[in-house]
Amino acid sequence: MALGKRAYSSTGSAPASTPGKRPGRTSGDEAHLSITTIIPTVGRPALRRAVESVLTQDGPGFSAEVVVVNDTGAPLPVEGWQESARVRVVRTPAPKSRPAIGRNVGAEAASGHFLHFLDDDDWLLPGAFAAFVQAHRAAPEARWLYGIVERVTREGTRVDRLPPDLEGNVLAALISGEWMPLQGTLIRRDLFDETGGFDPTSPPSEDMDLLLRLGLIDDVYRVRQPVCAYSMGVEESATPRHLCSVRLFEAFERLFDRPNTRARAVASATSPHLGGKVLRHYLISVKKALRQREGRTLARRLLDVGRLLLGARRHVFSPSYWRAVRSPRAGATP
């Protein structure tokens, strides 16, 4: 099933979506998870571990395939996993494409009802898909499931877990800068299509850009079990921080222009801190519009700020609300 009309174009534009819209389901959908793990690769030796971590998932209630997206421009070294009937290798249109392009290519090739995105240096933990199956049986209407991700060093030593307690409407948490690694996420295919897929014009923040659109459209169901290991290393620090910030604030701007963003953000701001973080980013947008003399945008943002303050109610009397407004620190907790 291809992304079709909902896919990002070469300019990165995407259609608006309607929050809360859920298509019909069948009894077969509820009884069985069909999962495609999409792994773009630049030829790291760790690819074998990533693929095999999917192929060795065991248990009833799911089927799993792997789509490896070769972004090297050359054939991959011959490995045993390539002989599996559950693995397909596809190519990006050109070598060294952006990660968003590779992931969209993999999504177009996927046959699974749920999509799972894994980097070639990360891996699933044993029992991950079984945990998703159990969670899905408890909430068969869920289109977005998120399990705990363990951050580990290149040597495999666990550093921490990310984040263990986000569920439901998490838009305010995402606006605050909270991160939900896609490696720990299952996204139902129709929901991914509804977002428009990854935006190839927003590197290196394409993950957060997609998460923001997911948070606008739907709720996340929490899986209370570690499902994935996220490998930290030199690659993680290779992207200039200022570029990450620029692209992320561009994603905020696009989000704030979408219908229902403010109402959904207010509904998810369940603490003074989260409410303050949402207001902070709207005020940053006000400042940008004022500096660039974007009169219409400025008027919309000022109206949104007023409505945010009205919607915050008792939170505006909390010191933590205004501390969050002033603080540049990201995250759903102080």
Side-chain angles (χ1 to χ4, degrees):
M1 179 178 180
L3 291 178
K5 294 182 180 179
R6 293 191 181 276
Y8 268 88
S9 68
S10 59
T11 60
S13 59
S17 301
T18 304
K21 181 180 178 183
R22 293 185 186 276
R25 299 180 57 77
T26 68
S27 59
D29 293 338
E30 296 177 2
H32 183 86
L33 286 189
S34 171
I35 304 168
T36 299
T37 293
I38 296 157
I39 310 177
T41 184
V42 292
R44 291 188 181 104
L47 172 63
R48 176 181 177 181
R49 177 181 60 189
V51 174
E52 290 181 350
S53 75
V54 180
L55 297 180
T56 55
Q57 294 292 312
D58 190 24
F62 71 90
S63 58
E65 69 166 1
V66 181
V67 174
V68 174
V69 184
N70 183 359
D71 194 29
T72 67
L76 294 173
V78 176
E79 298 270 7
W81 56 262
Q82 295 171 11
E83 299 177 3
S84 172
R86 293 192 287 143
V87 178
R88 283 180 291 148
V89 179
V90 298
R91 293 177 179 267
T92 52
K96 307 300 181 183
S97 298
R98 296 167 180 169
I101 293 175
R103 289 167 178 164
N104 285 339
V105 166
E108 290 179 3
S111 61
H113 191 61
F114 277 83
L115 302 181
H116 171 239
F117 296 94
L118 193 65
D119 290 347
D120 64 359
D121 57 345
D122 302 327
W123 64 95
L124 282 176
L125 299 175
F129 284 169
F132 280 121
V133 167
Q134 184 177 4
H136 187 256
R137 286 173 177 167
E141 77 285 356
R143 299 196 292 170
W144 179 17
L145 299 98
Y146 176 73
I148 298 170
V149 174
E150 294 187 347
R151 291 204 298 180
V152 299
T153 66
R154 291 291 174 184
E155 294 73 33
T157 303
R158 194 178 80 188
V159 177
D160 57 15
R161 289 180 169 180
L162 294 173
D165 55 359
L166 294 182
E167 60 183 332
N169 180 355
V170 295
L171 184 59
L174 294 172
I175 292 173
S176 79
E178 195 63 71
W179 181 36
M180 298 173 63
L182 287 173
Q183 294 89 332
T185 302
L186 282 193
I187 306 169
R188 211 169 81 184
R189 181 52 185 265
D190 61 323
L191 176 59
F192 180 78
D193 288 351
E194 202 172 330
T195 68
F198 290 93
D199 182 355
T201 70
S202 63
S205 296
E206 62 272 349
D207 287 10
M208 277 301 302
D209 177 74
L210 179 69
L211 285 169
L212 288 168
R213 286 179 277 122
L214 285 169
L216 176 61
I217 295 171
D218 214 336
D219 293 351
V220 64
Y221 188 87
R222 177 183 171 192
V223 179
R224 292 169 169 80
Q225 180 173 323
V227 297
C228 179
Y230 171 85
S231 182
M232 301 171 60
V234 292
E235 289 88 349
E236 185 182 47
S237 60
T239 303
R241 288 183 178 271
H242 75 277
L243 183 57
C244 289
S245 297
V246 168
R247 296 302 190 213
L248 184 56
F249 279 103
E250 288 175 355
F252 287 146
E253 289 292 333
R254 292 191 295 270
L255 182 75
F256 295 160
D257 283 334
R258 291 197 172 203
N260 302 307
T261 294
R262 176 182 47 78
R264 189 159 171 83
V266 168
S268 60
T270 55
S271 69
H273 175 81
L274 281 176
K277 282 300 178 186
V278 171
L279 179 61
R280 173 182 173 81
H281 287 295
Y282 271 90
L283 289 173
I284 291 173
S285 182
V286 166
K287 183 179 178 180
K288 174 180 177 290
L290 185 62
R291 184 175 63 250
Q292 298 185 358
R293 299 181 180 180
E294 299 170 344
R296 291 183 179 179
T297 300
L298 178 61
R300 291 198 305 271
R301 296 293 188 264
L302 287 173
L303 182 60
D304 283 333
V305 166
R307 290 173 173 170
L308 283 171
L309 289 169
L310 288 174
R313 296 183 179 89
R314 66 184 185 279
H315 287 171
V316 298
F317 299 105
S318 169
S320 64
Y321 182 88
W322 297 105
R323 282 197 297 270
V325 171
R326 295 191 301 268
S327 173
R329 180 179 176 183
T333 57

